[in-house]
């Protein structure tokens, strides 16, 4: 990358492991530019990060044409420090869909960072991120939504939920809205919790072993991130990878 090394003083990097990033920064590729032509739909899935010395980073700069759709599903799990960074600029009547899962254990630091720019009217965006964190892992979601003054009829939503399996794990969620239009719908919600003990007890009372009960609950929790993926084969691949990682964590 030709850009200078980021600093934690930059809000988008406040939770990043900059120390781990420093030795590999010159080796990382710059942003990948994706242009979705007007009226078309492009879908992409990322289940693995390219790893360099324990650091994995994906950087996407997406321009979505008028009445076009970009659907992205991502899984962050396979790096000591991993970051998925997406900037999406929406045209008139376009749509951006993100489904993301963060699965961290050990001392991993994993994050999904999005910048959604509603530059034109009538566009919609929906982002669903689910995190499961164990040991002393840190998982973060930072998502900014920017609505231009003339981008009326914007409808943008974010849903961020994190599940902590151990008390030493940390979840960060930082939604940010910058809205200059007045006829818009923008909503975001973020929660952090633990597995429902009553639900676990109920499943156990029905004869399900505790390990299996925990596994089923985590599967259902993570599945929310991929429910918007219409391609059954593609969904099975990324969900299968997520379930394998969850199995190794439990």
């Amino acid at each position: 990358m030709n850009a200078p090394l980021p600093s934690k003083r930059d809000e988008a990097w406040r939770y990043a492991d900059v120390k781990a990033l420093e030795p590999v920064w010159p080796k990382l590729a710059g942003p990948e530019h994706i242009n979705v032509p007007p009226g078309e739909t492009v879908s992409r899935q990322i289940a693995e990060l390219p790893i360099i010395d324990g650091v994995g980073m994906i950087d996407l700069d997406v321009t979505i044409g008028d009445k076009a759709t970009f659907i992205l599903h991502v899984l962050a799990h396979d790096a000591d420090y991993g970051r998925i960074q997406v900037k999406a600029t929406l045209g008139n009547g376009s749509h951006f869909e993100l489904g993301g899962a963060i699965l961290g254990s050990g001392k991993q630091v994993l994050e999904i960072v999005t910048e959604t720019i509603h530059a034109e009217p009538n566009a919609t965006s929906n982002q669903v991120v689910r995190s499961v964190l164990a040991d002393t892992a840190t998982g973060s979601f930072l998502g900014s939504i920017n609505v231009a003054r003339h981008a009326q009829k914007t409808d943008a939503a974010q849903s961020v939920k994190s599940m902590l399996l151990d008390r030493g794990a940390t979840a960060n969620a930082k939604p940010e809205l910058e809205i200059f239009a007045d006829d818009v719908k923008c909503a975001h919600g973020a929660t952090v919790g633990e597995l429902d003990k009553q639900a676990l007890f109920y499943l156990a009372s029905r004869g399900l072993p505790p390990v299996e009960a925990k596994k089923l609950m985590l599967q259902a929790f993570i599945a929310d991130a991929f429910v918007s993926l219409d391609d059954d084969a593609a969904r099975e691949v990324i969900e299968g990878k997520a379930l394998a990682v969850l199995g190794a964590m439990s």
Side-chain angles (χ1 to χ4, degrees):
M1 283 192 169
N2 295 322
L5 184 72
S7 165
K8 283 180 174 284
R9 289 190 295 271
D10 183 339
E11 192 62 27
W13 295 87
R14 66 180 298 180
Y15 301 117
D17 188 346
V18 177
K19 185 176 180 181
L21 190 63
E22 184 174 2
V24 303
W25 184 253
K27 306 175 188 177
L28 298 175
E32 177 186 351
H33 295 276
I34 299 173
N35 290 301
V36 184
E40 294 194 10
T41 296
V42 172
S43 181
R44 183 164 177 182
Q45 298 83 47
I46 298 172
E48 303 277 354
L49 298 178
I51 305 295
I52 302 176
D53 297 334
V55 175
M57 184 168 170
I58 293 285
D59 189 357
L60 303 180
D61 188 344
V62 186
T63 301
I64 308 172
D66 294 350
K67 297 183 179 179
T69 298
F70 182 64
I71 304 170
L72 177 65
H73 292 88
V74 299
L75 176 60
H77 66 93
D78 52 342
D80 296 331
Y81 169 60
R83 180 182 176 94
I84 298 171
Q85 180 171 296
V86 184
K87 177 182 178 182
T89 304
L90 286 77
N92 194 326
S94 65
H95 179 69
F96 171 51
E97 183 78 28
L98 171 71
I102 298 173
L103 306 178
S105 59
K107 297 180 180 180
Q108 286 180 291
V109 177
L110 304 170
E111 54 188 352
I112 296 175
V113 181
T114 65
E115 180 184 3
T116 308
I117 302 173
H118 283 262
E120 301 294 339
N122 307 305
T124 58
S125 63
N126 185 53
Q127 301 175 59
V128 177
V129 176
R130 299 290 181 262
S131 300
V132 177
L133 303 164
D135 304 317
T136 59
T138 298
S140 303
F141 172 78
L142 294 88
S144 68
I145 297 175
N146 303 287
V147 182
R149 190 173 303 279
H150 66 286
Q152 306 294 346
K153 304 297 182 181
T154 286
D155 191 343
Q158 290 178 343
S159 170
V160 184
K161 295 182 180 180
S162 301
M163 189 79 69
L164 304 183
L165 302 184
D166 295 294
R167 305 229 167 175
T170 301
N172 300 304
K174 189 177 184 299
E176 182 179 325
L177 304 177
E178 188 173 18
I179 303 169
F180 294 101
D182 51 17
D183 186 5
V184 303
K185 294 180 182 179
C186 290
H188 60 80
T191 62
V192 178
E194 301 175 345
L195 284 171
D196 189 328
K197 292 182 180 179
Q198 287 188 334
L200 285 171
F201 177 78
Y202 173 81
L203 293 173
S205 70
R206 294 299 184 269
L208 200 64
V211 172
E212 289 299 314
K214 178 180 177 182
K215 182 179 178 181
L216 282 176
M217 290 180 66
L218 290 176
Q219 287 178 1
F221 180 73
I222 287 297
D224 282 351
F226 307 119
V227 72
S228 58
L229 182 50
D230 291 333
D231 186 325
D232 291 341
R235 185 174 62 252
E236 287 178 8
V237 169
I238 196 167
E239 276 192 352
K241 184 64 180 180
L243 295 181
V245 176
L246 281 174
M249 290 170 58
S250 58

